[in-house]
Amino acid sequence: MIGIYGLTLAEFLFPQEEFDAMTTVAQTANSLNMTLLGTAGLAIGRHLVAPKPMQSRWLQLQEISNKALFNVYVVSALLGFLYMLMSVDFDPVAFIEGMLGPRFTEPWQRGRLGGWNSLLTELGLLRYVIPPLAGVIWNRRRFYPAWQMLIMAAIFALTLFHGFSGGTRNIFVAYIATFLMGYLLTLPKTTFRNTVIPILIAAWISVYGSYHMLEFRTMGLRNYIENRVYESESTRDTLAVDYNLSSIGPLVDAMPARHPFLGMEIITWSLVRPIPRVFLPGKPEGLSVSIEEIVGAEGWTVAVTYLGESYMMAGWLGVIGMSLFLGALAAWWNRMAMRHQSDYALVVYALGFFAAGITMRSMFMLTTAILPVLALVAFQKYGPIR
């Protein structure tokens, strides 16, 4: 619920003079109604699942040793950054320089349709495992030698830098949020100092970082710093996210008046999206009609959150149904933390926050976002780390 609020309404806590020229009063009213309806659906959906401990055996994860936790951390980092390193021939200087360039110009960008190398890019999802593991390891820091802590701190710093320099705010915020959840869920004892203060710091970093990421993502972090763009008058004097409300309104105007609802095509694309094309040659290239075509956007991409995508599926009923489903799914996942669980299981639980947050931006990301969860479960169930 915080995620969908942040994507639609949070920016209006600040002046947004540009928004007035982007939409009409009627379109904004439709966008607000959809946001309120979706939020209500998320809240009601959690009551569709009984509040009792998780019974699923595959999510009853036993504790692993500190050594195994370190191994999972390092292996996740090696596999997560493997394709990026291969793209620069394992040159560390070129690796960092690639992160400093403009968005979508990095040497590790995959092709539109992907190929065998897309298997390696999918391994990059293991980078999302690093922050929550780092939170758990910080609470266990007394049990690790200094050299291991240095290695893990360097990996965590590199992961945060990658998330920040890429200019994609939902990734950077996901890193911060999952680290915070891994840390908070495994605290041996909670106090004001070790709970409230870290939450406030994480919130400040997220907001401050998000503001600057929006400014430099098209020019790259290097140009932003070297040319002192952050000191110029061309930077925004307000915090803006994606103006999703301005995109949802035209969507309601266009469907079903000019375009029919897409129905099960939305669900099908969500399910097959993470499957590499080499395994599914007949995989569609996307929706039969894109969001940009529907709203009449030319030359830029449009985001409408899961609310708009649900509307594309079945109108207002689609918004209600998908919101109830996601609310129920979140409540089912919360059951995992309602009983005594191992720290490792709580890391898996924390990754659910990443999946939930990224799904609020696009429901098409849900099936991809749960892959790190499945990887950690497989590591514990079938890997040599028990």
Side-chain angles (χ1 to χ4, degrees), residues 4 73 84 89 105 108 116 167 174 184 207 216 262 311:
I4 197 62
Y73 190 92
M84 297 170 66
D89 297 324
T105 63
W108 42 80
W116 281 105
L184 292 176
V207 174
F216 70 69
L262 300 184
Y311 183 85

Side-chain angles (χ1 to χ4, degrees), residues 13-27:
L13 296 174
F14 306 89
Q16 302 295 344
E17 296 179 0
E18 296 181 10
F19 184 81
D20 294 343
M22 294 180 176
T23 184
T24 66
V25 173
Q27 289 175 337

Side-chain angles (χ1 to χ4, degrees), residues 117-137:
N117 61 354
S118 65
L119 295 175
L120 296 177
T121 61
E122 296 295 346
L123 290 176
L125 290 168
L126 289 173
R127 292 192 296 270
Y128 293 103
V129 172
I130 296 170
L133 281 179
V136 173
I137 288 169

Side-chain angles (χ1 to χ4, degrees), residues 34 255-256 261 307 309-320:
M34 190 179 296
M255 300 182 78
F261 295 124
L307 297 170
E309 293 164 350
S310 301
Y311 183 85
M312 291 169 61
M313 176 177 64
W316 293 99
L317 289 178
V319 174
I320 295 172

